[in-house]
Amino acid sequence: MKSKSLVYFTLVVAVVLAIFAIGVFGFQLGDKKIPKAKEAIQLGLDLQGGVYVLLEADTDATGQELRRYMDQAKAIIQQRVDGLGVSEPNIAIEGDNRIRVELAGLKDSEEALQLIGKTAQLQFIDPDGNVVLTGKNVKESIVQYINDPIKGNEPVISLEFDNEGAEKFAEATKRLAAETDVQKKILYIRLDDEIISAPMVHEEIKGGKAIINGGNEAMKLEDATRTATLIKAGALPIPMKELTSSVIGPTLGLDAYEKSILAIGISLALIMILLLILYRAMAIPACISLLVYTEIIIGFFLLLKVKLSLPGIAGLMLSIGMAVDANVIIFERIREELKAGKTHKAAIKAGYKNALSSIIDSNITTLIAGVVLYVYGIGAIRGFGVTLILGIVASMFTAVFLTKWLLDLMANIFTFKSNKSFGA
């Protein structure tokens, strides 16, 4: 039992330290290279700059009607460039008929215009040129994978129509399936002026669902994701023309980023030192879990392509401090059990059992706040909700499960003769 626990504990420590070292220093093996975490994370406008585009509404609408169009256009552009709320674009209405869009990381204004300026007019057209249904009938547009016998595991765009669209789609596919001429059986799917798919209809399709694939070639995941987002966001309510665009520099600069990374490192070190002073051996699993928590959060940042701004860095530092709270509550309960005369193993078990309800209650209330921010917030507020939810999940895993498991392993490996080993 002792040797098995020692192997597990050593293996966990080695893996955690290896991942931490790779994140700090990077890693390269032959042609394979893993960059440093601070180089891989995407930065916001305040740290790396980007592109700004000023758009003007090309319409004769005025007053409340124009204001409604501008609010709708802003919301659609926001959805297109920042579906999850983690890219932190700056989108604002200027005057009565202009929208200013600032996007971090882009170096080409044309790329920005392609992203925000598309009208995303989706049409299903029969061989005679008749429009069967449009993007207005699309209720959902998401990316899924299908297993194609020739192209393999292929990303496709899965569409779900509203009731009207489902009826029209079923009627059109039934009519085309009955055609004897092969060319008359094709249903063209057009986005703006481009045919993005031309499937042949062999049978009536009921249920209000359809799939867009890449035709003869497999669709790239990036293209599928962008197209699905454009379709879901819909068309801009009014034409927008570009007035001006330009590359903008960082308002704070990379020097602020470097200092912030140093501040995070110092914060981690000070927290670990304080834990070791207060709780001694008991703090070792907490320090390991804190590293794991930081690795998980940074991993989510990379996975979701979060644009890290200076406020985001401050939030990361705050979340690291909050992640320690659960450990402090648990450790204090363990010390109370030790002072009551229980053994170290019994104290660990009782401490976690007695502290768990308080930890779950506090995290659930914070989780609810994060969900509300994500559901009802926009832009950076929604992004903060995402990171808050991820932080809570990671904190619960590391503080409640990982730290307890490591403490149990330590209790099996070492024989603690005095309660002072646990700071009691």
Side-chain angles (χ1 to χ4, degrees), residues 249-377:
T251 56
L252 296 174
L254 291 176
D255 184 53
Y257 180 54
E258 295 289 342
K259 291 180 179 179
S260 299
I261 296 299
L262 178 61
I264 290 176
I266 294 174
S267 299
L268 277 173
L270 291 177
I271 290 173
M272 291 180 182
I273 291 172
L274 183 60
L275 287 174
L276 290 169
I277 292 173
L278 293 175
Y279 304 108
R280 302 187 183 181
M282 191 162 49
I284 295 175
C287 293
I288 297 172
S289 295
L290 190 59
L291 289 178
V292 173
Y293 172 81
T294 306
E295 291 166 359
I296 291 174
I297 293 299
I298 292 177
F300 276 127
F301 279 11
L302 295 174
L303 183 64
L304 297 177
K305 298 181 179 180
V306 175
K307 290 286 194 305
L308 191 62
S309 61
L310 204 60
I313 293 174
L316 175 59
M317 295 175 66
L318 177 62
S319 69
I320 291 173
M322 292 175 62
V324 182
D325 288 348
N327 284 323
V328 171
I329 294 172
I330 293 168
F331 291 167
E332 287 298 328
R333 294 307 301 260
I334 292 175
R335 289 208 299 192
E336 290 177 5
E337 300 297 335
L338 288 172
K339 292 177 181 178
K342 292 185 178 180
T343 63
H344 290 89
K345 288 185 178 181
I348 292 172
K349 183 177 181 180
Y352 269 89
K353 181 180 179 181
N354 295 329
L356 190 59
S357 60
S358 298
I359 294 172
I360 291 177
D361 288 346
S362 62
N363 279 274
I364 286 179
T365 54
T366 310
L367 183 64
I368 292 173
V371 171
V372 171
L373 288 174
Y374 176 75
V375 173
Y376 295 103

Side-chain angles (χ1 to χ4, degrees), residues 57 59 61-62 64-75 93 99 236-238 240:
T59 177
T62 58
Q64 291 296 325
E65 183 183 16
L66 176 60
R67 183 65 186 178
R68 185 176 69 254
Y69 285 152
M70 296 301 292
D71 289 338
Q72 291 175 356
K74 178 185 175 184
I93 298 175
I99 296 179
L236 294 176
I238 48 177
M240 305 290 293

Side-chain angles (χ1 to χ4, degrees), residues 96-116:
D96 294 329
N97 63 343
R98 295 180 180 180
I99 296 179
R100 180 186 178 95
V101 183
E102 297 178 348
L103 302 175
L106 299 183
K107 303 300 181 185
D108 183 6
S109 58
E110 287 301 320
E111 184 180 355
L113 286 171
Q114 289 178 4
L115 183 62
I116 65 179

Side-chain angles (χ1 to χ4, degrees), residues 31-212:
D31 296 333
K32 303 294 183 181
K33 181 180 180 181
I34 301 177
K36 301 176 183 178
K38 72 174 185 178
E39 296 174 354
I41 291 178
Q42 299 182 31
L43 304 180
L45 274 167
D46 55 352
L47 296 175
Q48 72 165 339
V51 170
Y52 93 86
V53 178
L54 187 62
L55 303 173
E56 184 177 63
D58 188 9
T59 177
D60 295 329
T62 58
Q64 291 296 325
E65 183 183 16
L66 176 60
R67 183 65 186 178
R68 185 176 69 254
Y69 285 152
M70 296 301 292
D71 289 338
Q72 291 175 356
K74 178 185 175 184
I76 291 172
I77 292 173
Q78 182 84 46
Q79 173 65 28
R80 290 182 183 179
V81 301
D82 192 20
L84 271 181
V86 295
S87 298
E88 295 198 4
N90 293 330
I91 303 173
I93 298 175
E94 294 187 350
D96 294 329
N97 63 343
R98 295 180 180 180
I99 296 179
R100 180 186 178 95
V101 183
E102 297 178 348
L103 302 175
L106 299 183
K107 303 300 181 185
D108 183 6
S109 58
E110 287 301 320
E111 184 180 355
L113 286 171
Q114 289 178 4
L115 183 62
I116 65 179
K118 276 184 173 292
T119 57
Q121 296 287 354
L122 182 72
Q123 295 176 325
F124 291 74
I125 303 172
D126 66 18
D128 296 325
N130 301 316
V131 177
V132 176
L133 67 161
T134 68
K136 293 181 180 179
N137 300 118
V138 177
K139 185 167 67 174
E140 186 61 85
S141 172
I142 59 175
V143 176
Q144 293 182 338
Y145 280 90
I146 60 171
N147 191 8
D148 187 276
I150 299 176
K151 293 177 284 187
N153 205 25
E154 178 191 9
V156 298
I157 301 168
S158 177
L159 302 178
E160 181 178 352
F161 304 111
D162 58 17
N163 292 334
E164 180 187 0
E167 292 179 5
K168 290 182 177 180
F169 191 71
E171 179 184 344
T173 53
K174 180 180 180 180
R175 175 168 50 84
L176 296 181
E179 294 285 349
T180 56
D181 186 353
V182 174
Q183 296 299 321
K184 291 289 187 178
K185 299 172 74 70
I186 296 177
L187 181 65
Y188 297 93
I189 304 174
R190 185 170 68 188
L191 183 66
D192 291 335
D193 296 324
E194 179 184 359
I195 300 296
I196 60 175
S197 186
M200 186 177 297
V201 180
H202 298 285
E203 60 183 358
E204 179 184 359
I205 301 176
K206 298 180 179 180
K209 293 184 178 181
I211 287 176
I212 300 176

